[in-house]
Amino acid sequence: YYTIILLYYYTNILYTIILYTICYILYAILIICIGPEKPSIILVCMIYHPEEYFPGQESSWADPALAGLGYNNNPAKLQKLISLVYQYATKDIHIINTNTNKPIKVIPVPMFNVLNSKTIPNSGEPSDFCCRVEPSPAGGEKLAKCFMHHITNS
């Protein structure tokens, strides 16, 4: 019993360390990418949830990786991790324009709210995904509309 509690405690510490490391890496990459140019707005995107597995689905090059992450059996676990990284890293990025000392508008975009990871087989609706992890033409159109909405309404 105590071993399970201890393991749970250390697992939570490990997840926290991983989340904070991801936060730091995302911020560092963003600073490097904008360099001396100071845009007026920055869209910071969080990845989408991969398409969930359903019986009869075409095989994908990503199947072994998704299976290894336990996504086929328990997609909610990885989806929760993606949401946590968004909440604690992507959503909370603030950048100051070093030329003017004013903040640059940073717009967090959770792409997992745009694409539908739950494809319904034989529904007639086009899937948002190809190979379970890449946006299909329909999914790409949804993302493009989302980005344009954020850019034009900011």
Side-chain angles (χ1 to χ4, degrees), residues 36-38 96-102:
E37 300 299 320
K38 303 300 182 202
I96 302 294
N97 183 331
T98 53
N99 296 336
T100 63
N101 239 9
K102 293 182 180 176

Side-chain angles (χ1 to χ4, degrees), residues 26-131:
L26 285 174
Y27 184 77
I29 289 171
L30 194 56
I31 294 298
I32 290 168
C33 286
I34 63 172
E37 300 299 320
K38 303 300 182 202
S40 56
I41 64 168
I42 299 172
L43 298 182
V44 180
C45 299
M46 185 62 207
I47 64 170
Y48 37 80
H49 299 153
E51 184 177 43
E52 293 183 16
Y53 175 78
F54 60 86
Q57 187 176 47
E58 281 187 41
S59 64
S60 161
W61 62 265
D63 285 341
L66 293 173
L69 290 168
Y71 195 72
N72 293 345
N73 298 326
N74 187 5
K77 187 176 180 181
L78 183 60
Q79 290 171 355
K80 179 67 174 174
L81 183 60
I82 290 169
S83 298
L84 286 171
V85 171
Y86 170 74
Q87 181 180 351
Y88 292 108
T90 309
K91 191 175 173 186
D92 201 32
I93 291 177
H94 304 282
I95 298 176
I96 302 294
N97 183 331
T98 53
N99 296 336
T100 63
N101 239 9
K102 293 182 180 176
I104 296 173
K105 185 170 188 171
V106 177
I107 303 171
V109 181
M111 293 191 294
F112 54 82
N113 287 339
V114 178
L115 299 183
N116 181 10
S117 64
K118 295 169 179 30
T119 298
I120 301 169
N122 304 318
S123 67
E125 289 291 315
S127 171
D128 288 347
F129 294 92
C130 295
C131 300

